[in-house]
Amino acid sequence: MAILTTTLAEHSVAVVTLDVPGEPVNTFNLSHTDELWGALERLGQDSSVRAVVIRSGKPDSFIAGADINQFVAFSSAADAEAASRAGHAFLDKVERFPKPIVTAIHGACLGLGLELALATSYRIATDHPKTQLGLPEVQLGILPGSGGSNRLPKLIGVRAALDIILAGKSERAPKALRLGLIDELVPESILLDTAVAAADRLARGTRPKRVPGGKGLAAAILDRTALGRRLVYRTARKQVMSRTKGHYPAPLAALDVVRAAVEQGPSVGYPLEAREFGRLAVTPVSRELVRIFFATTALKKDDGVPPGSASPREVRRLGVIGSGFMGAGIAGTAIVTAKVDVRLKDAELARVGKGISAALGIPRRQLERKRISRYEFERLAALVSGGVDNRGFEACDLVIEAVFEDLNVKRAVLADLEPVLPRHAIFASNTSTIPIARIAEHAERPENVVGMHFFSPVDRMPLLEVIPTERTSPETIATAVRFGKKMGKTVIVVADTPGFWVNRILSPYFVEAGHLVMEGVPVETIDRIMVQYGFPVGPVALLDEVGIDVAAKGGVVMREAFGDRLAPAAAIGRMVDAKRLGRKAGKGFYRYDDGKKSDPDSEMYRLLGVTPLASVDEEEIRRRLVYPLLNEAGRAFGEGVVRSPRDGDIGAIFGIGYPPFLGGPLRTIDAIGPAQVVETLEGLASRHGPRFTPADTLVALARAGARYYPD
């Protein structure tokens, strides 16, 4: 099936337009590269063609990368290595093409798309925000396998190349120009004309001047001397290990490939790239990261209701009740991502003003990082307004309540607003633990009430839980899900039970951390063990971030709903009584100096009446923290809190930072084996008490020899 068309522009420049049929973006497989080379080969032999321009026929995408489905098909490292070598052969022919090739880039130019562009003579990109260039392969547990690890450092220098490759980063076009990744930056309206003109210049013998690594003393030393590069490699390795704790092999392998390519040349760099790509593509880490990619892609197409059962309504105006940290975060994220008008309400004008200022801090940070212009910032700022009454809410399509975590307060907000809102308007609660049905108990239009549980900080945390009640309409669910995705969130629909999914499975993790502290396990030891396991932060540091008072309130709800196994440890209540509430109070389990976490102090231990232990059984601590979380995930899934194992695992990864390389708690249970998980829990229960008793659903799974994922 044809993916391209060729036309002849002025100056005898051929324009090749890439357009994979039936797909929203271009993703390439081996048949596509064969077809593209066939077209280029014909143009190379055509004496009427002096140069070539390659562009995309998709509206906002150049090439989004290789077809990920081909990774799943690799049955061995040899298969993956062969695919890498085929990519090398294709792009080597592109690089050696006898006529100049100019790449005209608009939209995403990622992975294989950028590797193709790197092999061409000249690159021009649009200044549109959707134009981004990058090599995100390490996010799938692999490395750039079609020459990117070799060509990128040669073009832009070792430092800039490692910055992109090791983190899987994408750069916007203006920065790509500064790095030397592209040669020209133009408005979309003149992209093709500029590319044709550049192709004509190149055909006449003009060659671009490029200095890898850029100008300046730092580039001269660090990019262009062997001693400087050794320092760069050593620093990069330390940074990778600090970030990944060795759980992700791809960045370290990519670093080795880049070093070999730069120091020993292509005869060593390309074969090593192929071998490492082959090895990485079949590792368990890569398999899990690819599964996560497919899961998140599927969720982007999922409106939370059966296909065709409801049409989402458009949200043009958003109301937010409560202008504190969460409310302001929701408002600021909404104006930046969804570009909707937002009306804030709070009890005092001073709080409203503070909330608007905090909301505008989100686009202001983008302005400071040069991701948006001053004009764009002013346009976004004009979208936010606020007050102490209900004026403006009569035009809202969606209102999100983000007030104090108290059932009566939330009911009062709903009762106050319902007479003002349009009949179609949705009322959403941002509660983290209170069942939505209890909030909607006296609602006039319960079909319009839903939960939308954002995570803090809203602008950075990727997950949103949408929580319908039995009376919530399908249209309301679909609208909430669609708007959440418009805000840039990965959205899962969860059942209306206390704690929903994320806080439900997080509760026993927090509970056990509290017990360990009361037993004298040093808080930094607890956190270090779980960071080594793969979490971004440990449970004690996370309690400080969430707010120990917030955790205490949630603990009351969870204990009332599920009994003593989720009762908070005594440490939580004592910390709240002493007003050691975490980062926001400047002290919690840790001290905070100007908002930055410092060491635990002896005052906290004296308050709790414990003496820190000099030595501990770290493996037992890890089991005591991980297995209750796995147990609760199995229990909650068995109760139908999430619709599928996919939703449960994505919720845990994006909501609490569960280690992605493990695939999520339900994947972890499958990997360990349900029977082994049950056996470990029974051992913990015998040593530490009935809160470790295995969930009935997990026991049944083990007895049946079943798994959450049959594949």
Side-chain angles (χ1 to χ4, degrees), residues 34 41-42 64 74 119 177 253-254 292 298 335 377 462 499 523 530 553 594 650 665 667 683:
D34 288 345
E41 199 169 31
R42 289 190 295 273
F74 294 144
L177 180 67
I292 292 167
I335 63 170
F377 171 78
V523 297
M530 295 318 296
K553 292 186 182 75
D594 295 326
I650 291 298
R667 282 273 185 199

Side-chain angles (χ1 to χ4, degrees), residues 470-521:
E470 291 183 355
R471 298 194 290 175
T472 304
S473 72
E475 289 77 14
T476 295
I477 299 170
T479 301
V481 169
R482 184 72 63 88
F483 186 71
K485 289 187 284 188
K486 196 173 180 182
M487 286 183 67
K489 303 302 178 187
T490 296
V491 186
I492 61 172
V493 176
V494 303
D496 186 25
T497 61
F500 315 127
W501 172 255
V502 170
N503 283 343
R504 169 78 177 273
I505 66 173
L506 189 62
S507 289
Y509 183 63
F510 278 163
V511 166
E512 201 56 31
H515 284 299
L516 288 166
V517 171
M518 291 303 295
E519 292 171 22
V521 181

Side-chain angles (χ1 to χ4, degrees), residues 547-553 570-582 588-589 607-608:
I548 298 171
D549 55 334
V550 174
K553 292 186 182 75
I572 301 298
R574 293 180 190 178
M575 296 288 281
V576 172
D577 290 343
K579 300 195 176 350
R580 297 185 68 105
L581 306 181
F589 290 101
L607 169 70
L608 299 178

Side-chain angles (χ1 to χ4, degrees), residues 135 138 143-144 148-149 152-153 160-169 251 254 258:
L135 295 172
V138 296
L143 51 72
S149 306
L152 189 62
L162 289 177
D163 190 40
I164 290 172
I165 293 171
L166 300 188
K169 284 176 61 176
V258 169

Side-chain angles (χ1 to χ4, degrees), residues 27 61 77 213 340 514 543 580 621:
T27 56
S61 171
V340 294
L543 277 166
R580 297 185 68 105
I621 290 170

Side-chain angles (χ1 to χ4, degrees), residues 188-455:
E188 182 187 357
S189 59
I190 62 169
L191 174 62
L192 181 58
D193 290 342
T194 307
V196 169
D200 176 52
R201 290 196 309 274
L202 292 171
R204 286 189 276 111
T206 303
R207 289 290 178 265
K209 295 180 180 179
R210 300 179 178 126
V211 181
K215 300 177 182 178
L217 183 61
I221 296 174
L222 297 175
D223 284 287
R224 294 193 284 276
T225 70
L227 181 62
R229 291 193 299 271
R230 282 200 294 273
L231 176 61
V232 171
Y233 301 138
R234 188 162 58 247
T235 302
R237 184 171 293 276
K238 287 180 181 178
Q239 290 173 342
V240 167
M241 290 303 296
S242 175
R243 187 173 69 248
T244 69
K245 305 298 183 292
H247 292 303
Y248 298 88
L252 292 175
L255 176 58
D256 290 341
V257 172
V258 169
R259 184 169 190 166
V262 173
E263 306 304 329
Q264 298 174 266
S267 63
V268 175
Y270 281 99
L272 182 60
E273 181 179 282
R275 287 197 302 273
E276 289 298 277
F277 179 87
R279 178 180 68 85
L280 293 168
V282 294
T283 58
V285 171
S286 181
R287 295 301 196 199
E288 293 300 348
L289 296 179
V290 168
R291 287 181 182 124
I292 292 167
F293 172 83
F294 281 124
T296 54
T297 300
L299 280 167
K300 289 175 183 177
K301 303 173 184 177
D302 186 344
D303 282 333
V305 294
S309 64
S311 297
R313 294 188 289 269
E314 186 175 358
V315 175
R316 295 186 178 89
R317 187 173 177 86
L318 172 69
V320 178
I321 308 297
S323 59
F325 185 71
M326 287 300 295
I330 292 167
T333 304
I335 63 170
V336 167
T337 56
K339 307 292 193 296
V340 294
D341 286 306
V342 178
R343 181 72 175 177
L344 271 170
K345 178 188 174 183
D346 213 312
E348 298 175 2
L349 276 175
R351 293 215 294 259
V352 174
K354 187 176 180 181
I356 292 175
S357 178
L360 293 181
I362 295 173
R364 186 173 289 110
R365 286 191 289 275
Q366 292 195 334
L367 175 65
E368 291 168 353
R369 295 168 185 165
K370 298 183 179 179
R371 293 182 178 176
I372 61 174
S373 66
R374 169 61 64 175
Y375 168 78
E376 289 172 308
F377 171 78
E378 297 295 346
R379 185 171 57 83
L380 293 174
L383 295 175
V384 187
S385 63
V388 295
D389 54 30
N390 289 335
R391 282 182 296 177
F393 283 85
E394 70 281 353
C396 287
D397 303 296
L398 168 66
V399 173
I400 299 174
E401 160 271 302
V403 300
F404 189 68
E405 193 76 347
D406 181 275
L407 175 61
N408 292 326
V409 174
K410 292 177 182 294
R411 282 177 172 173
V413 170
L414 175 57
D416 178 58
L417 273 176
E418 265 197 311
V420 178
L421 296 176
R423 293 199 63 81
H424 73 275
I426 294 170
F427 180 91
S429 175
N430 182 51
T431 178
S432 58
T433 53
I434 301 173
I436 307 303
R438 298 184 67 189
I439 297 172
E441 202 168 87
H442 305 297
E444 294 178 10
R445 297 186 290 277
E447 68 277 7
N448 289 357
V449 181
V450 71
M452 292 180 72
H453 178 211
F454 293 86
F455 293 79

Side-chain angles (χ1 to χ4, degrees), residues 110-149:
L110 305 173
L112 183 58
L114 180 56
E115 289 178 303
L116 169 62
L118 291 172
T120 61
S121 315
Y122 200 79
R123 289 158 293 281
I124 303 174
T126 68
D127 57 5
H128 196 280
K130 289 187 178 180
T131 298
Q132 299 198 9
L133 300 91
L135 295 172
E137 283 84 353
V138 296
Q139 296 179 15
L140 295 176
I142 53 176
L143 51 72
S146 293
S149 306

